[in-house]
Every structure is written in structure tokens, then in C-alpha cells.
Amino acid sequence: EGTDAENKEVWVVDGEVEEGMGYGFDDVRTTQIYTPGVDIQDKQIEGFKTMYLLANSGVEDKSIRVKQEVSVEKNTNYALYAYLSKWGLTGLKSGVIGVMDSEGNVLTKKTIDGKDISLARYMLASVVCNTGDNDKVYVFIQSNVELSVGAYGIGLYADDVKFFKT
């Protein structure tokens, strides 16, 4: 959870950035999502340097996936944890976390329906995988959009991402 520049050095887009899609790192407390004094919003106390995967208003049927290279021990079990939330009531098709090898083969992933991702709270998503013959893998987070509407579009937040040996 460093600066935007530091995080963008380790989290990179997997493939080309589709038009209208983007990502970055933000303190949620500086956005309109944050409402001082509203106790039900976990985003008031979370969200420091949160990664966001966004779709500008009008974007339809697109996705963005960012990944981070990690050195691992071969034939070892690892877990990936991430806290997910969203902005925008409708239009987020799904959020995905996972692990893939250097060839792009997915070792494990979890897809969460956009309707099940909260606007007000962070939820924990996790996956576990064995690294097999790989000594490096890529953890990834992906946002899939149906139709982005509203003045600010829609997006997926990912906070406190952790990848560790189990």
C-alpha cells in the first residue's frame, strides 16, 4: 500500500487497457463514497491506498485485469486474500481474484457476482493454490463490467491484498 506510482510498478495491466477502463490507487476517504459520520460504512476506516479497477460511464461489456509477479517455492500451497467492495449500484458484472502461472494459465480463481459485492462494506475473498513446478506466479484482480452508468461510472475496489504460504 504505497503511493500510486509505487503500486503501479508492481501491479500492471494484464494485456491491453480497453478504452474507458483504468486502474489506480486512492484513499477512499477523499472520494464522494466517503460520508463522514455514517457508522455503517467500513470505507471510513478502510480504504487507505485502495486499488480501484474502473469503467467510465458508458462502457459496456469490458474488463480489466491487473497482476503482480511473485516469487514462490515450487510445489507449495499459497493463499491469496483480498478485501473487495464497489462503487456504483449496478453494472459491475463480477470481481475476480486469482493466481496464474507465467504462461497465463489460471491455477486458481474466485469469481464473485457484482450483485454480491457491497457498496458500503468490504468483503473478504480468498483462494488457495499449489504452485506446482512454478517458481514465480502472478496474483491477479479483475473487474468485469456489464454496463457502466452514472456520472462517475462504476468500479471494483481491492484493499489489503495478501499472498502468503500456507
Side-chain angles (χ1 to χ4, degrees):
E1 295 187 335
T3 66
D4 191 65
E6 290 167 335
N7 279 319
K8 283 194 168 187
E9 287 179 9
V10 295
W11 288 99
V12 296
V13 174
D14 185 27
E16 296 292 318
V17 179
E18 295 187 67
E19 185 176 345
M21 302 296 290
Y23 80 108
F25 299 84
D26 194 7
D27 185 339
V28 174
R29 293 166 292 186
T30 65
T31 69
Q32 290 185 342
I33 296 291
Y34 174 68
T35 308
V38 179
D39 293 335
I40 64 168
Q41 279 195 335
D42 287 345
K43 289 182 180 179
Q44 291 185 33
I45 56 175
E46 289 291 331
F48 181 69
K49 297 296 183 188
T50 298
M51 178 174 16
Y52 57 85
L53 305 170
L54 62 86
N56 293 331
S57 186
V59 168
E60 188 173 357
D61 293 324
K62 292 188 180 180
S63 64
I64 184 169
R65 178 165 62 188
V66 294
K67 64 183 181 179
Q68 181 178 144
E69 182 181 309
V70 181
S71 296
V72 294
E73 295 177 21
K74 293 181 178 183
N75 296 309
T76 304
N77 291 331
Y78 282 81
L80 171 64
Y81 283 22
Y83 286 88
L84 302 179
S85 186
K86 68 180 177 184
W87 81 83
L89 293 174
T90 61
L92 180 65
K93 183 176 182 179
S94 62
V96 183
I97 68 167
V99 181
M100 61 185 164
D101 65 18
S102 58
E103 304 291 317
N105 300 309
V106 174
L107 303 176
T108 187
K109 73 176 182 177
K110 180 172 186 107
T111 302
I112 302 166
D113 190 295
K115 294 174 187 138
D116 295 331
I117 300 173
S118 175
L119 180 69
R121 300 192 176 278
Y122 282 90
M123 63 179 287
L124 177 62
S126 63
V127 292
V128 177
C129 74
N130 186 283
T131 56
D133 292 334
N134 300 293
D135 58 5
K136 85 174 166 186
V137 296
Y138 291 88
V139 297
F140 68 87
I141 300 172
Q142 181 173 325
S143 175
N144 301 311
V145 174
E146 290 176 320
L147 177 61
S148 180
V149 296
Y152 301 104
I154 61 168
L156 176 71
Y157 281 120
D159 197 21
D160 293 333
V161 178
K162 294 174 179 55
F163 185 67
F164 56 93
K165 187 166 55 169
T166 61

